[in-house]
Amino acid sequence: LKREYKNDIDIKFGFELEYYRDKHAREMEFLRKFEPEYIILGQHFVGSEPQGDYVGFHQEDDQFLINYVDECIEGIKTGDFTYLAHPDLCGYNFSKGVAEKEYTRLLKFCKENNFPIEINMLGIITNRQYPRLKTFELAREIGNKVLIGLDAHSPSQISTNAFELGRAFAKQAGVEIINDLGI
């Protein structure tokens, strides 16, 4: 389709991928065969699947969030990813101050490495716990690059007003949206 419609529309090709230290080199070797233009870091588990724990479930263990942030940062350090999907998937059900400290650490690392974060519209469209206004207000303070993404798991989740909702959320948080990843 990219070749067929090259004169009509610019189609980008990419993947969303977890970062698992023990599997990453093999996964990248496989994905590079397809010549993706971007690879999104979408960290859904702390520890590798299936043994790891899903970050979108209710968590209260402070070490869980620390491990999540550590794994995101380690993934970003590989240089293989283009941006961080739903950075606030892990939540805020932690001891007082821990969530702010850890999300600050993650967002500052992203800022220092010119690594964009995503307002993920699946959360708004399907009424999930993300995106969290608190995360993106913090991103505004830090000065992160922010983009809007629609993590549709099925065609029925593609909303015609998703980006309008994303822009409204960004305005509420006070963040500016980037429209170009430079790819």
Side-chain angles (χ1 to χ4, degrees):
L1 291 176
K2 185 176 175 107
R3 284 188 297 272
E4 184 177 342
Y5 293 100
K6 69 180 178 186
N7 295 325
D8 300 316
I9 187 170
D10 184 21
I11 298 173
K12 300 294 184 192
F13 178 65
F15 295 95
E16 181 178 348
L17 183 68
E18 308 279 339
Y19 171 73
Y20 301 135
R21 180 183 308 121
D22 59 332
K23 298 175 181 161
H24 187 70
R26 259 189 350 258
E27 289 173 334
M28 290 307 300
E29 182 181 337
F30 174 76
L31 289 180
R32 284 190 179 111
K33 294 175 186 175
F34 300 100
E35 301 178 3
E37 293 165 282
Y38 63 93
I39 300 176
I40 304 165
L41 174 57
Q43 201 67 22
H44 298 89
F45 289 84
V46 169
S48 290
E49 283 182 77
Q51 305 88 345
D53 293 312
Y54 178 64
V55 301
F57 294 147
H58 181 82
Q59 301 287 343
E60 293 182 359
D61 177 13
D62 295 341
Q63 189 60 50
F64 188 85
L65 178 59
I66 293 166
N67 293 346
Y68 167 76
V69 170
D70 286 346
E71 289 181 12
C72 287
I73 288 172
E74 191 173 330
I76 294 166
K77 284 180 178 179
T78 67
D80 292 326
F81 296 98
T82 311
Y83 68 87
L84 179 59
H86 42 62
D88 48 357
L89 178 61
C90 201
Y92 277 88
N93 304 315
F94 304 98
S95 298
K96 186 177 180 182
V98 172
E100 185 174 350
K101 177 184 174 196
E102 289 304 309
Y103 276 110
T104 297
R105 182 167 69 98
L106 176 59
L107 295 176
K108 280 186 175 180
F109 186 85
C110 290
K111 167 72 174 160
E112 291 163 2
N113 290 276
N114 199 30
F115 196 79
I117 61 170
E118 175 200 64
I119 295 173
N120 190 291
M121 295 314 303
L122 181 65
I124 289 177
I125 293 167
T126 61
N127 199 29
R128 297 182 183 203
Q129 79 275 15
Y130 63 88
R132 295 175 189 273
L133 188 58
K134 196 174 198 177
T135 302
F136 289 90
E137 289 172 339
L138 185 57
R140 177 195 67 229
E141 291 173 25
I142 292 170
N144 292 94
K145 289 185 176 182
V146 177
L147 56 92
I148 297 172
L150 177 55
D151 187 5
H153 294 191
S154 72
S156 66
Q157 293 173 333
I158 297 174
S159 171
T160 56
N161 68 338
F163 291 96
E164 185 178 302
L165 293 170
R167 284 188 289 276
F169 180 88
K171 183 176 182 179
Q172 184 180 7
V175 295
E176 286 188 45
I177 299 299
I178 61 170
N179 293 315
D180 186 2
L181 287 170
I183 51 175

